[in-house]
Amino acid sequence: MITKTFKSTSNLIQQSLYRSSIRFFSFNNQGGDLNTEGWESKGLPDLEEGNTVPDFFNFTLSCPHKELYQDAPVRMVGVPGSAGRFAATPGHIPVICEMQPGILSLYHERSELSGRQDSYFVSGGICMIHPNGDMEVSTPECVNIQDVDPNNVRDGLAKAKDKMSRATEEKDKLEAEIEIETYETLEKCLGSGAQ
């Protein structure tokens, strides 16, 4: 579909630019005339001696129309990152990550198998883990996975496919394609449950 094609084309362009820039800098710096001052990378933060990684970190989850969590203590968050799913725990390195549609899992207690957990379907957004360990997730739309009726998702997917088959204008086709992709992702998430 369009977004998949765009993503794969975008990835190929990024990889090509990355490779060519590495070649440029490595070949052109053989004479030593390239000024690399300020290019040094910073080391990852270390715990100060005597400190330990906390058991919990503050988590904020917000949408434009509501805030679900404000500085809530959580043990771990499973994030559907655009480069793949990852888990954030206390002491995680600072990160800014684009999210893809999928399940955002919150673990409020130490155990992953028992204890209070919440799972939300997010339509995308941004995840930020700050240097102080706090984490913020901002998403355009977020719904608790328990509030989603699989029958409504199935019906919505059927209507979106019907809309796509009847669409004659490009705008209508693109809107239907977005609806289909969203319903298929939501259906996939409901089928797999909280990851």
Side-chain angles (χ1 to χ4, degrees), residues 9-10 13 17 73 75 80 94 96 99 133 138 142 166 174 180 185:
T9 304
S10 175
I13 292 170
L17 290 174
R75 177 74 180 123
I96 297 177
M99 296 188 310
S138 179
C142 176
R166 290 185 289 111
L174 291 173
I180 290 170
T185 303

Side-chain angles (χ1 to χ4, degrees), residues 13 21 28 56 135 143 161:
I13 292 170
S21 63
N28 288 341
F56 298 93
M135 181 175 181
V143 62
K161 287 181 177 179

Side-chain angles (χ1 to χ4, degrees), residues 2-136:
I2 288 178
T3 55
K4 292 177 186 173
T5 306
F6 177 74
K7 283 183 180 180
S8 63
T9 304
S10 175
N11 287 341
L12 288 173
I13 292 170
Q14 286 175 346
Q15 291 172 359
S16 174
L17 290 174
Y18 177 71
R19 285 189 200 116
S20 63
S21 63
I22 287 177
R23 280 188 223 115
F24 172 78
F25 287 118
S26 62
F27 291 132
N28 288 341
N29 197 25
Q30 289 176 353
D33 57 348
L34 186 63
N35 182 6
T36 59
E37 185 178 329
W39 287 14
E40 297 84 26
S41 62
K42 294 168 59 175
L44 295 176
D46 289 329
L47 282 176
E48 295 177 15
E49 194 170 321
N51 286 348
T52 60
V53 175
D55 289 335
F56 298 93
F57 61 96
N58 294 331
F59 176 75
T60 301
L61 174 60
S62 60
C63 299
H65 57 281
K66 63 183 171 183
E67 187 171 67
L68 289 112
Y69 292 93
Q70 173 66 43
D71 293 330
V74 295
R75 177 74 180 123
M76 184 173 80
V77 179
V79 180
S82 61
R85 189 168 177 79
F86 70 94
T89 57
H92 198 285
I93 63 169
V95 171
I96 297 177
C97 170
E98 180 184 3
M99 296 188 310
Q100 65 183 354
I103 301 276
L104 181 76
S105 305
L106 309 178
Y107 299 92
H108 300 277
E109 297 172 16
R110 224 179 246 282
S111 172
E112 293 180 31
L113 301 175
S114 64
R116 190 171 143 231
Q117 301 175 17
D118 292 315
S119 297
Y120 293 90
F121 178 80
V122 294
S123 60
I126 300 292
C127 166
M128 293 175 284
I129 303 174
H130 298 279
N132 66 359
D134 290 355
M135 181 175 181
E136 295 179 43

Side-chain angles (χ1 to χ4, degrees), residues 145-157:
I145 205 75
Q146 294 176 344
D147 296 339
V148 178
D149 183 2
N151 295 325
N152 290 344
V153 173
R154 218 172 302 113
D155 293 344
L157 180 59

